[in-house]
Amino acid sequence: MAVLVTGGARSGKSAFAEQLAMHGEMRGIYIATSHIYDEEMRERVDLHKQQRLSSGYPWDTREEPYELCELLEQLQADAMNAGTPAPAVLVDCLTLWLTNWLLRYESEANASVLVTKRLDELAESVSSYAGTLILVTNEVGDGIVPEYPLGRSFRDLAGRMNQRLASVCEEVFLVTAGIPIELKSRAYRLDTRPSSVRTER
């Protein structure tokens, strides 16, 4: 089962995703996608590690800033070879993973195309993963339009990534002020709209 958890910065989405994973699984694999660029980022990463350790839940942390698809496929293959169910996995977060690839391809003329290919591969890996898979992402399009091209490209790609992954996940949660709301069960469907209120052509 794949679950997407989204929200703004400091919305409580990561804490909710961890609680969601711990609620139904005896142990889990935590895939961290961040690159440590400076001391402030290192302090953030260390703090998150300590918080996971203090939870008492047996997280197995893997750091993978790029090859997320390959890692998911390897975890599933290892479980199959061992005759065990695919492990529960929490990925935090997809927007950092997207940032890593966008910066790697930044100098390429077709950077957006190359990143979109990675997004397609990720959607396929998420769709085919047999265990519980919880993906944390960010809503980045609710603020002002970035004034520089790379920022606008990131905003657009992040929006497309979230839409694509939401379409292949069974549940999608929006977390605001620490309050999670499941969206898919509340989604409005055009095909259920009464015919009497449909707009005539």
Side-chain angles (χ1 to χ4, degrees):
M1 178 179 185
V3 179
L4 184 68
V5 179
T6 187
R10 292 292 179 267
S11 62
K13 58 187 180 298
S14 292
F16 169 70
E18 291 178 19
Q19 290 295 321
L20 189 63
M22 292 187 288
H23 180 72
E25 304 290 341
M26 297 301 295
R27 59 181 298 111
I29 294 176
Y30 188 105
I31 301 179
T33 62
S34 60
H35 255 317
I36 300 177
Y37 293 106
D38 53 35
E39 188 58 32
E40 189 269 344
M41 188 64 175
R42 182 177 299 279
E43 290 176 0
R44 284 174 177 262
V45 169
D46 289 343
L47 176 61
H48 289 166
K49 287 180 178 178
Q50 289 302 318
Q51 289 173 338
R52 290 197 297 275
L53 285 173
S54 64
S55 72
Y57 185 76
W59 288 111
D60 176 6
T61 300
R62 312 284 181 92
E63 296 183 4
E64 183 46 70
Y66 292 103
E67 307 301 336
L68 177 57
C69 300
E70 290 78 0
L71 179 53
L72 290 175
E73 291 164 7
Q74 186 61 55
L75 290 172
Q76 184 155 264
D78 290 345
M80 184 178 296
N81 292 335
T84 59
V89 172
L90 170 58
V91 179
D92 195 358
C93 76
L94 291 181
T95 38
L96 285 175
W97 174 85
L98 175 67
T99 299
N100 296 338
W101 279 113
L102 186 57
L103 291 177
R104 174 173 284 190
Y105 289 137
E106 181 182 2
S107 61
E108 303 289 339
N110 61 338
S112 181
V113 173
L114 293 171
V115 174
T116 298
K117 182 180 178 182
R118 294 289 178 179
L119 297 181
D120 292 340
E121 292 170 354
L122 178 61
E124 179 61 32
S125 294
V126 169
S127 297
S128 61
Y129 192 76
T132 298
L133 177 59
I134 301 173
L135 308 165
V136 178
T137 187
N138 288 273
E139 288 300 312
V140 299
D142 290 339
I144 62 174
V145 176
E147 62 182 23
Y148 50 96
L150 184 63
R152 290 192 294 273
S153 179
F154 170 74
R155 178 204 59 180
D156 294 347
L157 286 165
R160 294 186 195 120
M161 175 182 71
N162 290 349
Q163 289 187 61
R164 182 69 188 279
L165 291 174
S167 71
V168 299
C169 287
E170 286 84 352
E171 293 181 333
V172 178
F173 289 91
L174 173 65
V175 183
T176 302
I179 302 171
I181 301 294
E182 204 285 310
L183 299 178
K184 276 208 157 179
S185 62
R186 294 167 171 79
Y188 178 78
R189 293 173 55 91
L190 283 173
D191 58 1
T192 62
R193 188 182 186 194
S195 58
S196 59
V197 296
R198 288 177 183 157
T199 302
E200 296 294 338
R201 288 185 178 272

